[in-house]
Amino acid sequence: MMANTILCVLTLNCWGIPFVSKDRKARMKAIALELASGKYDIVCLQEVWSTNDFNLIRDGAKPVLPYSHYFHSGVVGSGVCILSRYPIHDVLFHQWPVNGYVHKIHHGDWFGGKGVGLCQIYYNDLLIHVYTAHLHAEYDRESDEYIAHRVLQAFDTAQFIHMTSGGADMVILGGDLNTEPDDLAYQVLLLNAYLHDAYNQPSSTDKTTFGTFATAQNSYTPTKLSRKSPNGQRIDYVLYKGGHRAQITQESYSLPLPETVPGETFSYSDHEAVMAKFKISHVGNATSGHSMDLERQSAVVQKALEICDEALARVGRHRKQYWMMSVALLLVIIAMLWVEWGIKPLVPFITAIMCYMIFMATLWNNMEVNGILAGKLGLQVTQARIQAANSNVEVPLSNV
């Protein structure tokens, strides 16, 4: 029987956008040096958008974290990777069906091909499933056009974890979820994947002291924002649950990195790193500790379904608008060719805009609708399962 052992997990959004992120190269070297300190057993990183940056971090930490995997996806890579002190035996990446908008180039989330990555890690004789994810950013909290994407990404991640972790002795999810504890996406993820937030433990102090983004102590937080909300937002998480052969006890939760890189005036990232330590006991047959608050889960799923319906209605309105603009531009082109106004050289330019509008009204619109419908139908299956559990009556879920 394995003695009680301590497992240390770290997650960090590295803010590694080439040509955009400040002090990127110096910070990546500092992150590699920190990971090489030997403090951490498993590390989940997000926003490592450059392969060179991943190689630098991997090579720098290799003496103590010899196993690593980068999840390639999309146009520029998923940005997420995992480093481990223990062997990685299998890997899998699941890309989300809804992933931002291709025409929102300034946001860029779509080009990352975001999703959730899984590494199967053997820790002594126990199997640990380590997941890492980076949900769609929230650019405007007052008018959030991506709320449906983020909620569906959270549900898809929860389903992926639930469906792939059956044989695991421990499950860990580390990532930048771009959602706060009171937000719907957070509730959808925790309740449907039966995860626990490493923050929620007796030794934690006031929640407001554990912001992980836009905090006053971070060098990259604008002064105006730090004065308005010095504690920032808690959007980076280590989530976990136990399996059948291991008893998991959380030992500590902290933001382990100093305010600035030693010897420098800047922070490691615009996010704070999150570290959680767990005591793992091999007990042969442990209970999974699943939370079965069906009433709360039902309310969360219902709210997510309403978000889906709102998103589908919005996509339908956009489709009509794109078609109307396409027809209007076609009439403009006909008029320009018919009347001698001396502006015929503009025809190719306007034609290109019209083709873009048609693309948005057809191919892109269909992709968006299908992505939302995929999530909605999954939520309906979950809703039927919850209703059946509440009424203790079996229903044919496959017919939902």
Side-chain angles (χ1 to χ4, degrees):
M1 180 179 292
M2 182 186 73
N4 292 345
T5 53
I6 301 297
L7 185 72
C8 184
V9 179
L10 180 87
T11 185
L12 172 64
N13 179 320
C14 296
W15 192 38
I17 310 172
F19 312 112
V20 175
S21 301
K22 298 177 181 178
D23 310 307
R24 180 175 61 87
K25 292 183 178 180
R27 290 189 296 101
M28 294 301 160
K29 292 179 181 178
I31 291 171
L33 186 62
E34 172 66 20
L35 299 186
S37 66
K39 302 173 186 175
Y40 316 108
D41 299 309
I42 294 173
V43 175
C44 300
L45 301 179
Q46 305 85 46
E47 284 209 34
V48 183
W49 297 113
S50 166
T51 303
N52 290 335
D53 288 345
F54 169 70
N55 292 338
L56 186 153
I57 294 172
R58 177 200 63 193
D59 294 344
K62 200 165 189 177
V64 294
L65 301 170
Y67 307 98
S68 62
H69 186 79
Y70 184 89
F71 297 96
H72 291 274
S73 180
V75 178
V76 296
S78 68
V80 298
C81 58
I82 292 174
L83 298 90
S84 172
R85 188 186 299 273
Y86 308 103
I88 296 174
H89 283 254
D90 281 302
V91 298
L92 182 63
F93 184 79
H94 172 64
Q95 185 172 333
W96 295 312
V98 286
N99 236 334
Y101 301 127
V102 64
H103 58 290
K104 298 281 186 175
I105 299 175
H106 57 299
H107 289 167
D109 292 73
W110 181 86
F111 295 92
K114 289 182 176 182
V116 53
L118 161 64
C119 284
Q120 287 188 332
I121 295 174
Y122 276 98
Y123 175 57
N124 295 326
D125 65 337
L126 296 178
L127 176 61
I128 300 178
H129 278 202
V130 181
Y131 300 84
T132 185
H134 181 200
L135 271 61
H136 200 294
E138 179 187 75
Y139 294 97
D140 185 351
R141 192 166 182 82
E142 300 302 320
S143 180
D144 187 4
E145 61 182 317
Y146 296 110
I147 185 171
H149 285 215
R150 199 160 46 255
V151 168
L152 289 176
Q153 287 175 354
F155 177 72
D156 209 26
T157 299
Q159 292 295 90
F160 182 72
I161 293 173
H162 181 61
M163 298 291 284
T164 59
S165 63
D169 297 303
M170 182 179 184
V171 170
I172 298 168
L173 169 62
D176 171 9
L177 304 184
N178 276 311
T179 179
E180 296 186 74
D182 291 332
D183 292 344
L184 180 62
Y186 172 91
Q187 301 296 329
V188 165
L189 179 52
L190 260 70
L191 289 172
N192 287 282
Y194 307 105
L195 296 172
H196 305 287
D197 190 339
Y199 182 90
N200 295 324
Q201 46 115 9
S203 61
S204 295
T205 55
D206 183 6
K207 290 186 178 183
T208 60
T209 65
F210 281 96
T212 65
F213 177 68
T215 59
Q217 66 267 25
N218 192 287
S219 68
Y220 297 109
T221 302
T223 303
K224 183 178 180 180
L225 185 59
S226 65
R227 289 175 179 171
K228 180 180 179 181
S229 181
N231 296 315
Q233 302 170 286
R234 189 166 76 89
I235 60 175
D236 300 86
Y237 301 88
V238 174
L239 309 177
Y240 71 99
K241 67 178 179 180
H244 297 291
R245 297 193 304 147
Q247 181 68 45
I248 311 299
T249 305
Q250 188 179 334
E251 292 288 292
S252 64
Y253 173 98
S254 64
L255 309 183
L257 301 184
E259 293 184 7
T260 58
V261 173
E264 303 290 351
T265 59
F266 50 81
S267 301
Y268 283 87
S269 172
D270 60 346
H271 287 244
E272 307 302 322
V274 173
M275 181 181 73
K277 288 185 179 181
F278 303 96
K279 182 171 72 175
I280 304 177
S281 306
H282 196 314
V283 294
N285 261 313
T287 58
S288 62
H290 287 178
S291 173
M292 297 299 291
D293 188 346
L294 295 178
E295 183 176 349
R296 183 179 170 206
Q297 189 178 12
S298 178
V300 166
V301 169
Q302 180 58 41
K303 180 61 178 177
L305 284 168
E306 294 171 5
I307 294 292
C308 288
D309 289 334
E310 293 171 3
L312 287 171
R314 183 170 61 251
V315 171
R317 292 193 298 271
H318 289 170
R319 184 189 185 103
K320 292 179 181 178
Q321 292 169 359
Y322 285 128
W323 274 124
M324 291 174 61
M325 288 186 283
S326 299
V327 171
L329 288 171
L330 177 61
L331 295 176
V332 170
I333 292 171
I334 294 173
M336 292 173 68
L337 293 174
W338 186 266
V339 182
E340 294 294 334
W341 286 344
I343 53 175
K344 288 184 179 180
L346 294 176
V347 169
F349 175 71
I350 298 177
T351 301
I353 297 177
M354 183 186 71
C355 290
Y356 167 77
M357 295 296 175
I358 294 173
F359 165 77
M360 295 299 294
T362 55
L363 298 180
W364 179 260
N365 192 275
N366 288 342
M367 290 172 60
E368 182 78 358
V369 168
N370 285 331
I372 296 172
L373 281 176
K376 179 180 177 180
L377 292 175
L379 284 163
Q380 289 177 336
V381 170
T382 299
Q383 185 181 54
R385 172 169 52 79
I386 296 170
Q387 291 172 348
N390 272 326
S391 60
N392 200 26
V393 175
E394 291 188 7
V395 296
L397 299 183
S398 59
N399 294 331
V400 176

